[in-house]
C-alpha cells in the first residue's frame, strides 16, 4: 500500500500534546510525526496526526484499560492501532473492548507496520 503523507507536525503541536499527556509521547511516534503529521493508505490503515492524539487516547480510555499502550491510529473499522510502550510492538484491538486478551499482534515495530502498509484486517488476521 502507498501512504498519503502530510507536512511534518509543528514542534509546538507535539509539545502541546506532551503537556496534555503529562510526559513524552512515544519516541518512534514522534519521529514519524517529524516526517509526516499523520498518514493514511488507500486501504484501511490510518496513523493519527499530533493534534488531538492524546484526547483520542483519553476518549477511548486507552491508559485506563491498557496502561502500557498508546493509540497511534486505527483501521477505519473500529480497531485501534496501539504501540505497546513496553515491548514496542504494534497491536490491534477492537475499540469497544480494549483489553489485553483481545489484543492481536499487528507488527513487531512501527517501522514494520509502515513497511507492511496494512492493518490486520487487510491481511486476513483481524
Amino acid at each position: 500500500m502507498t501512504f498519503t503523507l502530510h507536512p511534518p507536525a509543528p514542534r509546538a503541536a507535539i509539545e502541546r500534546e506532551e503537556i496534555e499527556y503529562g510526559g513524552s509521547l512515544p519516541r518512534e511516534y514522534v519521529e514519524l510525526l517529524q516526517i509526516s503529521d499523520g498518514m493514511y493508505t488507500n486501504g484501511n490503515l490510518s496513523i493519527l496526526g499530533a493534534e488531538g492524539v492524546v484526547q483520542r487516547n483519553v476518549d477511548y480510555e486507552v491508559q485506563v484499560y491498557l496502561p502500557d499502550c498508546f493509540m497511534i491510529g486505527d483501521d477505519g473499522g473500529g480497531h485501534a492501532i496501539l504501540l505497546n510502550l513496553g515491548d514496542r510492538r504494534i497491536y490491534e484491538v477492537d475499540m469497544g473492548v480494549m483489553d489485553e486478551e483481545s489484543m492481536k499482534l499487528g507488527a513487531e515495530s512501527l517501522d514494520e507496520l509502515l513497511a507492511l502498509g496494512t492493518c490486520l484486517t487487510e491481511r486476513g488476521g483481524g
Side-chain angles (χ1 to χ4, degrees):
M1 294 279 173
T2 302
F3 282 95
T4 298
L5 304 178
H6 301 285
R11 183 69 209 152
I14 295 170
E15 289 171 357
R16 279 192 303 273
E17 293 298 314
E18 289 180 329
I19 289 167
E20 187 175 341
Y21 187 55
S24 297
L25 296 178
R27 173 191 41 78
E28 51 271 74
Y29 177 63
V30 171
E31 289 171 358
L32 178 65
L33 293 174
Q34 292 169 336
I35 296 167
S36 178
D37 190 10
M39 59 179 59
Y40 60 92
T41 65
N42 56 346
N44 298 336
L45 181 59
S46 177
I47 304 296
L48 300 168
E51 195 71 37
V53 69
V54 172
Q55 186 59 50
R56 182 103 180 235
N57 276 265
V58 170
D59 290 346
Y60 285 97
E61 300 180 293
V62 176
Q63 281 69 46
V64 172
Y65 296 107
L66 298 168
D68 293 333
C69 292
F70 188 83
M71 183 190 304
I72 60 167
D74 65 64
D75 72 350
H79 292 92
I81 308 294
L82 304 169
L83 173 61
N84 184 296
L85 303 174
D87 66 16
R88 312 314 280 188
R89 291 174 162 175
I90 300 297
Y91 292 88
E92 298 183 32
V93 68
D94 187 307
M95 287 188 242
V97 179
M98 287 290 183
D99 65 27
E100 265 188 65
E101 294 76 36
S102 300
M103 290 174 40
K104 295 180 181 176
L105 182 63
E108 291 293 328
S109 65
L110 180 54
D111 285 344
E112 181 181 80
L113 177 68
L114 298 176
L116 290 166
T118 57
C119 50
L120 279 174
T121 54
E122 293 173 293
R123 288 181 261 145

